[in-house]
Amino acid sequence: MEERPRILIVEDEPAIADTLLYALKTEGFDPEWCATGRAGVAALAAKPFALVVLDVGLPDGSGFDVCKEIRLRSAVPVIFLTARNTELDRVLGLELGGDDYLVKPFSPRELTARVKAVLRRTGGGTAGTDFHVIRENQNPVAAEFVVDDERCVIRYRDTALGLTRYEFRLLRALAAKPGRVYSRDQLMAAAWEDPGASLDRTVDAHIKTLRAKLRVVAPDADPIQTHRGLGYSLRGSS
Ligand code: CA
């Protein structure tokens, strides 16, 4: 039998967790439930998951902090569950490394649809499945970055990265011409539908989360270079 993708649910309300467990099982996933952030981080350290559904309001802290902790060691896709329908939550959530979000109340069908979409986008959850093992450079001969436009996936050193939409577009622009220095405005124009509505620091924030995800694959490589007063470039393959 084909292996069912393991999904971790971190949610303190048992009624919501039950609904999610049932919906995900019905859709062919193998879900597990933790009621606290700490239990969630421990579960991720114990075995690989394809995706994490993470409540923002947890009894032992915020889901954003839990996500930051997860991101130190893993690029596993994260979908935030939030009770506050504000744009700020969304931006904050995505800048902190989440891949999508749902505002409560939501239907189980909505959740499973998002889970599937995020897994499709991030390459079926292959990214970040090794929570402990920081991968070394496995294949120095292969191109460092391989962009798969159809699936919206970028592989870095043979590892599919779990990227948000904007991280994907930024890295795609940089990877198109390694060595070329892009200004923040140019990156904004390449990655955002409405560049005028964003700020320079939005680019910086996404570069930061992007670097964290690249570090998970190769801790010392740091392929994105900062050019003071100018912008960013991607180091050419060495
Ligand atoms: Ca909660």
Side-chain angles (χ1 to χ4, degrees):
M1 204 180 106
E2 207 180 316
E3 202 175 314
R4 295 149 67 95
R6 242 198 310 268
I7 310 287
L8 181 64
I9 301 168
V10 186
E11 163 65 65
D12 58 311
E13 288 170 63
I16 294 179
D18 274 349
T19 310
L20 297 184
L21 283 167
Y22 180 78
L24 287 166
K25 260 182 216 156
T26 306
E27 290 291 323
F29 296 100
D30 178 13
E32 265 180 47
W33 171 41
C34 294
T36 64
R38 204 187 316 173
V41 170
L44 269 171
K47 60 182 165 191
F49 285 87
L51 184 143
V52 181
V53 177
L54 181 55
D55 183 27
V56 169
L58 292 165
D60 58 339
S62 97
F64 295 137
D65 290 335
V66 174
C67 187
K68 269 195 236 168
E69 203 174 329
I70 292 172
R71 282 286 170 264
L72 292 176
R73 280 169 290 180
S74 169
V76 63
V78 171
I79 296 179
F80 283 120
L81 303 181
T82 172
R84 288 164 292 165
N85 187 8
T86 67
E87 194 59 24
L88 182 68
D89 272 348
R90 179 183 180 199
V91 170
L92 192 60
L94 297 180
E95 282 184 359
L96 284 172
D99 296 88
D100 206 345
Y101 75 106
L102 274 171
V103 178
K104 295 176 182 177
F106 53 84
S107 72
R109 180 182 296 203
E110 228 178 322
L111 185 270
T112 54
R114 295 293 182 89
V115 166
K116 287 178 191 170
V118 169
L119 286 179
R120 258 199 313 275
R121 203 170 70 216
T122 56
T126 49
T129 46
D130 293 331
F131 193 69
H132 279 308
V133 185
I134 306 276
R135 297 184 197 204
E136 300 297 326
N137 188 355
Q138 291 165 322
N139 184 359
V141 184
E144 292 212 312
F145 290 92
V146 178
V147 179
D148 180 345
D149 273 323
E150 275 182 19
R151 295 170 67 215
C152 287
V153 171
I154 297 178
R155 300 182 72 82
Y156 172 49
R157 298 193 178 194
D158 239 12
T159 303
L161 298 167
L163 301 178
T164 66
R165 187 179 355 157
Y166 296 122
E167 288 166 354
F168 171 80
R169 291 179 183 171
L170 278 178
L171 186 54
R172 185 174 175 276
L174 290 169
K177 284 189 183 154
R180 179 189 156 167
V181 180
Y182 289 85
S183 70
R184 288 177 177 79
D185 282 346
Q186 287 169 330
L187 289 174
M188 197 90 77
W192 272 262
E193 289 95 352
D194 181 12
S198 300
L199 302 165
D200 278 4
R201 61 162 203 87
T202 312
V203 170
D204 295 341
H206 284 84
I207 291 283
K208 198 173 158 193
T209 56
L210 203 43
R211 277 184 166 140
K213 290 180 181 180
L214 298 175
R215 260 200 307 277
V216 172
V217 179
D220 302 317
D222 199 18
I224 298 177
Q225 289 185 291
T226 305
H227 303 268
R228 287 192 70 151
L230 294 172
Y232 297 99
S233 74
L234 199 69
R235 224 185 285 276
S237 300
S238 48

